[in-house]
Amino acid sequence: MRVWKSIAEWRTHRETIAAKSIGFVATMGALHRGHAALVERCRAENEIAVVSIFVNPSQFNDPNDLARYPNTLESDLTLLQKLGVDDVFVPTAAEMYPQGYRMKVQPDERYRIMEGLHRPGFLEGVATVVLKLLEIVRPEKAYFGEKDYQQLMLIRDLVAEFFLPCKIVACPTVRAESGLAESSRNALLSPAAREKAPVIHRTLCTAESIEQARASLEAEGFRVDYVEEHAGRRFAAVFLDGVRLIDNVALCC
Ligand code: AMP
C-alpha cells in the first residue's frame, strides 16, 4: 500500500496505472465498519482501490467540531492495508487549498434543507472538496454512504452538473446491532450517551410523524436540530452530549 501526500507525486503514479479501473472512497479518517464496507466494495469492484483521508476544514461551520474531530491515522492505515487498498491519499490542507478558498462550488437554494440549512457552508465545503478529490484521483467509480444521504444526493448532482466521468455508487448505512449508525463521532460519546444513541434510529423507524419523532427525541433528552421527510425518507440531526449525530431511514422500514 502506498501513501501519498503530494498531489503531483500521486498524479505521476496515476499515469502508470491509467489503463486500470480505479475505485475511490473519500473519508475523513477515524475509520469504522461503515467506512470498511465502502472500501470492501470498492476493492471488489475495481483493479485499483484508492482511499483518501482528509479532514476538510471548509465543511466545518463549528471550529470546536473541527478541533475535536477524532484522528486515528496510524490505525486507519493499518485497517486499509488489511482491506487490500492500493493507494491512500493523505493531503494537508495547504496541499488541497494552496490559494485558500479562491473558488467554491455553490449549491443553489434547492439544497437549503436539512444539513444545507442547519450547517451553513457545509454542503458548499463538501461539494468543493469532492470536486477537487475526484479531479485528483480521477476514479471510474466512487463510493459514498447512505448514512450521509443529502451529501450523497449532492455529489450525484455535482457529478452530473460538471459532467464528471465518474459513477457514484451508493452504499447502505452500516449499523451496530443496537441500530445506531456507525459514525466517527460515536467515539466522542460518553458510555451513557452511547447507550442512549440507538433511540435515534428506533424513533425514526417507529414514530408516526415528524412531530411525534421530534417530541419523543426531546423527551429522551436529545436536542433536536431537525426531523424532516423528503422523497420517501425520514431524516434527523440531534445533539447528544454536545455531539451532533445524523441518521435517516426509508419510510417503509
Ligand atoms: P466521513 O469519514 O464521515 O466523511 O465518511 C466517509 C464516507 O463513509 C461517506 O461516504 C459516508 O457516507 C460513509 N459512511 C460513514 N458512516 C457510514 C455508515 N455507518 N454506513 C455507511 N457509510 C458510511
Side-chain angles (χ1 to χ4, degrees):
M1 186 173 83
R2 290 159 295 242
V3 178
W4 306 95
K5 291 186 176 152
S6 145
I7 296 171
E9 285 172 18
W10 153 255
R11 284 199 148 155
T12 305
H13 174 70
R14 169 79 179 69
E15 280 171 26
T16 69
I17 53 168
K20 301 196 170 171
S21 61
I22 297 180
F24 175 52
V25 179
T27 82
M28 299 208 297
L31 301 182
H32 50 65
R33 291 170 48 243
H35 297 112
L38 270 61
V39 173
E40 278 165 0
R41 182 146 177 211
C42 174
R43 173 67 289 164
E45 295 182 355
N46 300 277
E47 288 168 284
I48 301 285
V50 181
V51 175
S52 66
I53 298 178
F54 178 59
V55 182
N56 175 37
S58 79
Q59 71 189 65
F60 285 81
N61 57 317
D62 174 357
N64 290 329
D65 191 24
L66 173 60
R68 69 174 179 168
Y69 199 83
N71 175 338
T72 57
L73 184 60
E74 284 313 308
S75 59
D76 290 353
L77 293 176
T78 305
L79 174 67
L80 294 177
Q81 181 137 37
K82 274 197 203 130
L83 293 173
V85 168
D86 298 287
D87 295 278
V88 188
F89 179 50
V90 190
T92 59
E95 186 76 6
M96 291 297 284
Y97 298 101
Q99 310 284 341
Y101 301 107
R102 188 164 54 167
M103 288 186 202
K104 288 181 181 173
V105 177
Q106 180 69 68
D108 77 3
E109 61 282 353
R110 277 168 282 194
Y111 301 87
R112 289 201 166 274
I113 54 172
M114 302 194 289
E115 301 299 285
L117 185 63
H118 292 263
R119 293 182 71 191
F122 169 71
L123 293 182
E124 188 183 270
V126 169
T128 304
V129 80
V130 171
L131 176 60
K132 285 173 181 253
L133 288 168
L134 292 178
E135 274 301 306
I136 295 164
V137 177
R138 293 190 164 254
E140 219 165 85
K141 293 184 186 158
Y143 299 78
F144 290 87
E146 290 185 346
K147 149 95 173 17
D148 301 281
Y149 204 86
Q150 191 182 17
Q151 171 176 291
L152 169 66
M153 295 299 121
L154 174 85
I155 291 163
R156 275 200 196 292
D157 291 349
L158 173 84
V159 163
E161 198 67 25
F162 293 108
F163 308 105
L164 304 179
C166 174
K167 181 172 185 273
I168 300 301
V169 182
C171 302
T173 302
V174 175
R175 301 180 179 282
E177 233 174 273
S178 63
L180 175 64
E182 296 285 354
S183 164
S184 306
R185 289 190 169 86
N186 293 348
L188 302 172
L189 297 172
S190 66
R194 216 186 150 103
E195 290 266 293
K196 186 176 277 190
V199 168
I200 305 166
H201 177 244
R202 211 175 308 139
T203 306
L204 284 177
C205 289
T206 58
E208 270 162 24
S209 63
I210 53 175
E211 292 78 17
Q212 199 200 75
R214 172 182 278 273
S216 36
L217 286 165
E218 283 175 350
E220 290 276 1
F222 295 90
R223 178 154 75 79
V224 177
D225 216 4
Y226 62 77
V227 181
E228 295 183 26
E229 286 176 2
H230 302 280
R233 298 191 84 84
R234 183 177 282 169
F235 300 81
V238 300
F239 288 91
L240 178 61
D241 254 8
V243 179
R244 191 170 184 280
L245 301 173
I246 61 169
D247 201 353
N248 71 91
V249 298
L251 274 173
C252 53
C253 87

